Amino acid sequence: SIERIEYLADLLFGAREVFTVSEAFAEIYRKNGFNKIRVNRNGISSSQIWTPKDTSDSNRVICGHIGGMSAHKGFFLLKKAIEQVQPSHISMMLVDHSKDESYVEKTQWGDVPVTIIGRVPQDCIVDLYRQLDVLFAPSIWPESYGLVTREAAACGCWVVASNLGGIGEDVIDGETGIIISPDLTSICDAVEKIDQNAQIFKQVCGVQ
């Protein structure tokens, strides 16, 4: 309601500082007239041991999507891109949050091998990232932060992230991953780049 908007605006204008978790969301506040902004990124858990990935048991680049099978996470765009490009050096690993932890399904998108697993508890999340070479996070909705992209990077995974919101804010385009517009053409381009440079994306990010 207008009354609620005015009430909250008064509180924010009266604050000494307004904290946001990303520069992207700080800019939203600035555009609405709030200038006393401090970006305080959430970071990742210090209690986890972020061990580098190891996918040496597969010749393919293992690309993951762990945001769940929902439209706003870009899942259907990624699926369509894989089905369209049909990369020969990529396999997919997907997390379906609607399934329990023991769920495993093997399928294919065309000729591309796909493994679908159930939700992963937080204390096992490092084991998941260690099985991935590349994390896809092509969200079509501007997310405030994007924990998964930071966690994956901490395990040496390359990251393909949307240019909306804060999900790709810490990705260095061309060095630690690829920043994309969350549309079919851009995702297809990223898939083709990974497929054509498989040996690079098999390496731990930052190690040449």
Side-chain angles (χ1 to χ4, degrees):
S1 67
I2 294 177
E3 183 179 356
R4 181 174 183 273
I5 292 171
E6 291 175 345
Y7 170 72
L8 292 174
D10 286 342
L11 291 178
L12 291 172
F13 279 121
R16 183 178 300 173
E17 286 184 303
V18 176
F19 288 82
T20 70
V21 297
S22 64
E23 182 59 37
F25 267 53
E27 188 59 26
I28 292 174
Y29 278 92
R30 294 187 189 105
K31 287 179 178 178
N32 285 277
F34 303 100
N35 297 311
K36 295 178 290 184
I37 307 296
R38 181 184 296 188
V39 177
N40 183 36
R41 291 176 173 82
N42 286 333
I44 60 176
S45 173
S46 60
S47 63
Q48 295 275 16
I49 299 175
W50 301 98
T51 312
K53 70 185 181 74
D54 181 3
T55 63
S56 57
D57 58 341
S58 174
N59 292 325
R60 290 177 176 262
V61 180
I62 304 175
C63 295
H65 182 278
I66 68 174
M69 297 179 178
S70 53
H72 75 281
K73 294 289 187 178
F75 170 78
F76 297 105
L77 282 174
L78 176 58
K79 183 175 187 290
K80 190 171 183 179
I82 294 294
E83 291 173 335
Q84 182 172 308
V85 174
Q86 286 295 284
S88 56
H89 301 103
I90 286 176
S91 63
M92 299 298 299
M93 178 176 286
L94 314 168
V95 176
D96 184 348
H97 295 307
S98 70
K99 306 296 185 182
D100 62 35
E101 296 173 12
S102 62
Y103 181 84
V104 179
E105 177 188 351
K106 300 284 187 179
T107 186
Q108 293 197 174
W109 292 347
D111 293 327
V112 179
V114 178
T115 300
I116 303 172
I117 63 174
R119 57 184 176 273
V120 178
Q122 188 61 30
D123 59 356
C124 297
I125 199 69
V126 173
D127 293 333
L128 172 61
Y129 291 125
R130 294 195 71 228
Q131 299 175 63
L132 304 178
D133 293 303
V134 179
L135 176 77
F136 272 84
S139 297
I140 64 174
W141 180 259
E143 300 190 38
S144 60
Y145 181 62
L147 182 61
V148 295
T149 53
R150 277 79 173 182
E151 290 180 336
C155 290
C157 300
W158 300 82
V159 176
V160 179
S162 169
N163 61 3
L164 300 181
I167 197 165
E169 205 164 89
D170 291 337
V171 177
I172 302 174
D173 191 31
E175 294 186 25
T176 63
I178 306 170
I179 299 295
I180 61 167
S181 297
D183 57 61
L184 182 59
T185 298
S186 298
I187 298 173
C188 285
D189 289 345
V191 170
E192 289 175 346
K193 181 175 183 177
I194 293 166
D195 193 46
Q196 293 166 7
N197 298 276
Q199 291 306 310
I200 292 175
F201 288 94
K202 285 295 292 181
Q203 297 171 350
V204 175
C205 183
V207 178
Q208 300 297 324

